[in-house]
Amino acid sequence: MKNTFLLFLLLFSTLIYSQSVTIDITKSGLGYPSDYYRKDINNLLNPFEGTYVYTSGNIVFKIVLEKKIKQPNGLHYNDLILGEYQLIENGAEKINTLSNLNVVYVNQYVKHAIAGSGIIQKPNSRFWDCPECNPNEKRFSGRIIDRISRRYADMLMRRTVVNGQEVLQVKIYNIDSKIIDENNPEPPEPPFALPKGIFTMIKQ
């Protein structure tokens, strides 16, 4: 009888542990079973969906962002903003990854040009201080891959309205850099080809 009870307890514990745990996207998955699901319960990612264009001199930078539900991200799942882009300089297209937007990869976060699910909840974030942000305003945190130089950068986004026009204020920064080994010098890294710093994109 005792052995039967212990067996039942073991099976019950395994069943409970194996069930995927759903947590809000604003929470960390630290301490949860490896197959947890960070869900956008309050639809905080939805406002960032859309097509946006930045124009400056001879540069046109276009991004398309879509929200995808329960995407594999390593051993767990996330609701994600995924995106791709087009870069035009002097009227010539340098790169266009927009056709990849609907490609489904084993790990969506790693493979798409733009990906993320981070939510910045405070105006005075150390990542991007925003005195003009409303106290309850939510911003987006993700990353972008420059497919030309093959370098990564952090990408933050803020939705707002300027002169009655919906815009996306973007900050691209913290561009990755290789550690230089003086004993085995490598050729210089190619320059980051995408716009960087803080700039404004117009919603189309």
Side-chain angles (χ1 to χ4, degrees), residues 124-136:
N124 60 342
S125 165
R126 64 186 176 90
F127 301 110
W128 188 4
D129 190 28
C130 181
E132 66 273 24
C133 286
N134 298 324
N136 297 321

Side-chain angles (χ1 to χ4, degrees), residues 158-169 200-202:
R158 179 194 179 216
R159 283 189 69 258
T160 188
V161 176
V162 176
N163 297 324
Q165 173 72 58
E166 286 187 57
V167 302
L168 193 68
Q169 291 180 336
T200 298
M201 308 188 76
I202 307 297

Side-chain angles (χ1 to χ4, degrees), residues 170-182:
V170 175
K171 180 180 180 181
I172 296 180
Y173 73 112
N174 198 24
I175 299 164
D176 75 336
S177 180
K178 296 177 183 176
I179 298 174
I180 302 300
D181 181 353
E182 294 180 358

Side-chain angles (χ1 to χ4, degrees), residues 93-150:
E93 185 177 81
K94 290 194 69 175
I95 189 166
N96 187 343
T97 71
L98 295 175
S99 62
N100 295 336
L101 188 58
N102 293 316
V103 176
V104 178
Y105 300 102
V106 173
N107 191 327
Q108 297 276 71
Y109 180 86
V110 170
K111 293 294 186 178
H112 281 284
I114 299 170
S117 61
I119 300 295
I120 301 174
Q121 303 190 70
K122 297 180 180 180
N124 60 342
S125 165
R126 64 186 176 90
F127 301 110
W128 188 4
D129 190 28
C130 181
E132 66 273 24
C133 286
N134 298 324
N136 297 321
E137 186 174 329
K138 304 294 189 290
R139 289 173 288 164
F140 170 85
S141 171
R143 64 104 189 102
I144 187 167
I145 306 171
D146 171 13
R147 297 292 189 196
I148 298 173
S149 69
R150 299 183 181 179

Side-chain angles (χ1 to χ4, degrees), residues 49 56-58 66 78 83 87 97 127 133 141 166 188 191 195 197:
E49 290 188 287
S56 178
N58 61 350
E66 290 185 1
N78 266 34
L87 178 66
T97 71
F127 301 110
C133 286
S141 171
E166 286 187 57

